Amino acid sequence: MAFLFLCLGAAVGAPARYLTDRAIQARHDTVVPWGTMTANVAGCLILGLLTGVADAHRVPEAVVLGVGTGFCGALTTYSTFSYETFRLYETGARLYATLNVVISLVAGLAAALIGLAIGSAL
């Protein structure tokens, strides 16, 4: 049953990442990959929130697996982040590549900590 929750979470998370990326990129005419960054930071926030709630309360393992590993795992994408950063660097946009890494890491860690704090307080 837990595997089913994992698959269902991933089946929702992957299209959510794609749709998030397309919606954000359509509104920003820039080389910075804001869509991927938004999806990754949102995934960090959700995973932090889930972890906080799971630590404070009894959350079924299948839910943690489905939302945490399935949904958040499919929503976030380290490979696309790496590829887009490399492409920025390769095309000479080194400042944007550096900003992409710094903003993604700082915002992702901050979102996870905020989610953890909120989830623990619930």
Side-chain angles (χ1 to χ4, degrees):
M1 191 63 163
F3 182 71
L4 179 61
F5 278 101
L6 172 95
C7 292
L8 289 173
V12 174
R17 184 193 78 74
Y18 175 78
L19 293 172
T20 299
D21 181 55
R22 294 295 89 209
I24 299 294
Q25 287 304 119
R27 289 173 174 77
H28 294 87
D29 187 26
T30 178
V31 297
V32 178
W34 294 112
T36 299
M37 189 182 305
T38 301
N40 287 343
V41 172
C44 290
L45 179 68
I46 294 166
L47 189 56
L49 183 64
L50 175 66
T51 302
V53 169
D55 284 348
H57 304 286
R58 287 190 162 289
V59 176
E61 181 183 341
V63 172
V64 173
L65 188 63
V67 175
T69 304
F71 179 77
C72 290
L75 177 65
T76 60
T77 171
Y78 190 75
S79 58
T80 302
F81 161 71
S82 299
Y83 173 77
E84 290 171 343
T85 302
F86 176 73
R87 294 293 296 161
L88 287 170
Y89 187 83
E90 184 179 66
T91 60
R94 289 180 172 83
L95 176 62
Y96 288 121
T98 303
L99 287 173
N100 187 45
V101 171
V102 171
I103 293 170
S104 292
L105 289 175
V106 170
L109 289 171
L113 289 172
I114 289 167
L116 184 64
I118 293 169
S120 298
L122 295 178

